[in-house]
Each structure stands twice: as structure tokens, then as C-alpha cells.
Amino acid sequence: MSIPVFKPVTHVIFNLDGTLIDTERIHRKTFTRIANNCGKVFPDDLRLQILGLQEMDVANLIIDTLQLNLTSKELLQKARIEEEKELKNIRLKFGVEDLLVHLHQNKVPMAVITSSSEECFHMKTDHLKDIFSVFHHVVTGSSDPEVKNGKPAPDIFKICASRFEENPAYSKCLVLDDSPNGVTAALAAGMQVVMVPDPILSIWHNMSTANATYVLNSLEDFRPEMFSLPPYFIGS
């Protein structure tokens, strides 16, 4: 079976939430409960809009859209309390561990970006330290002073690329992300992006995935050789 071939890359940047770890279902449940407690409904189209945004941007959009009588800090604090136990036991998504181990063994430089704060990043990943040790660095958008603008602006991806020792050209970086905001940001940075959409996007599938370089249902289906990265099996 033939597979598509795209421009060669040398470095890989992974989005965290919804791409590496299965957090989006938790966030949906949390914001639904908070909205319900305020007598509001948290709709799917709002969930779509907040995917990939920085924490304060998420809070502000939810509060403005639903007209909640909360400050942004209050909303984020409620969410953190709700999610802390579950996030400390979150699992990797299907196909992630095999892909990370493979790329690491083949000395492909990798990094992680997340729109979360450094505190939230550690909450979500400290129990996964062994597998996360394969990454060269992590950029936490909500607490990194260099990230002036969150997705869909390209800042976080450009900053992430600049922190690799090799300082690769943006065009040599491949992004894997689950959200339309992430796709827009990666493309604006001049990078190719493989989108692994959150299930919520099935409702708006064509609109939400149209601009991605390539779209997969799961990272289990990712073929590194499409981007001239070492294949899982030589000669496959």
C-alpha cells in the first residue's frame, strides 16, 4: 500500500493535551460541571473553540461566552481542584509510547509544547517521567515569558524550534497536534503539521481538519517515513 510523502523534516514537536495524553475528556467534564453549577450549559462548539488555547484565554472565553459570575482566576482554580486527582493518573494516548521510543532510539530530536502552565504540565506528567525524559525540552505557554501570544498565533512553535541545540529551520520541524488552533499556529510558523483530531471534531470534521498537512485517527497510524524520518521497520 502506497503512502503519501511530504517534505523531509529533522525535528518533531508534540502538543501535549489531546495529542500525547488523554486530557480533553477530563477538561470537558470539568467545564461542563462548572457551567452547570452556575446554571449554564457548556456546548460542544465552545469546547472546540478553546482547544489549544492558553489557560487565561480559555477562562476568559468561557466566562464571556457563558456570562459566568466568576473571575478568570476563580474559574481556573475551580478547574484545578476538580481535575487534580484525575490528571495525576492520566494515560498516554494510543500509539504514543511506541512512537516516542522509536524516534528516541533513532536520535530524532523531540520537544513538547503545551498551552498549560509549568505547574499544570508537571501535574499531568510527573507520573510519566520516564517516557517524557526522551524530550529535549518543554515549552509551557501559559507561564513562559517568551510566549507572548497563544495559539492560533505561531509564537510557541517558533520558540520551541529555537531551543533545539541545532536551531533547525522552521520548515524542518514537524508538529503533531489535535486542535484547529494548533494546526493554524503550526502552519503560521512555517511548519508541517499532522493532525490527530479530538473526537469532538467529528461534528465539524471537514471544516476543522482541512488545513492540516495530514490527518490521522490515531498516532498508532503514523508512518515516520512520510516525512523522511526513520521507519519503524527498515524496508517497510
Side-chain angles (χ1 to χ4, degrees), residues 107-123:
K107 297 181 170 51
V108 176
M110 297 178 287
V112 176
I113 63 96
T114 173
S115 295
S116 298
S117 64
E118 185 174 2
E119 178 186 358
C120 283
F121 170 77
H122 286 295
M123 184 189 303

Side-chain angles (χ1 to χ4, degrees), residues 221-236:
D221 303 323
F222 180 69
R223 301 290 295 271
E225 60 268 35
M226 292 191 300
F227 296 90
S228 299
L229 296 168
Y232 279 114
F233 303 104
I234 301 300
S236 64

Side-chain angles (χ1 to χ4, degrees), residues 57 64 113 136 215 230:
D57 292 336
D64 291 346
I113 63 96
H136 181 266
V215 180

Side-chain angles (χ1 to χ4, degrees), residues 183-234:
V183 170
T184 300
L187 293 175
M191 301 175 183
Q192 296 176 92
V193 53
V194 172
M195 188 179 190
V196 189
D198 183 89
I200 184 65
L201 298 181
S202 62
I203 303 173
W204 296 276
H205 187 273
N206 291 333
M207 175 187 71
S208 303
T209 64
N211 295 324
T213 308
Y214 196 63
V215 180
L216 295 172
N217 291 323
S218 166
L219 282 181
E220 291 178 300
D221 303 323
F222 180 69
R223 301 290 295 271
E225 60 268 35
M226 292 191 300
F227 296 90
S228 299
L229 296 168
Y232 279 114
F233 303 104
I234 301 300

Side-chain angles (χ1 to χ4, degrees), residues 39-51:
K40 305 288 185 176
V41 175
F42 182 67
D44 282 341
D45 62 340
L46 179 55
R47 182 184 171 212
L48 174 66
Q49 292 176 60
I50 67 173
L51 286 178

Side-chain angles (χ1 to χ4, degrees), residues 3-12 102-103 106-109 171-174 192 194 222-232 234:
I3 61 170
V5 178
F6 302 99
K7 295 176 182 178
V9 299
T10 55
H11 294 65
V12 182
H102 168 73
L103 294 177
N106 285 277
K107 297 181 170 51
V108 176
S171 62
K172 291 296 184 180
C173 296
L174 176 67
Q192 296 176 92
V194 172
F222 180 69
R223 301 290 295 271
E225 60 268 35
M226 292 191 300
F227 296 90
S228 299
L229 296 168
Y232 279 114
I234 301 300

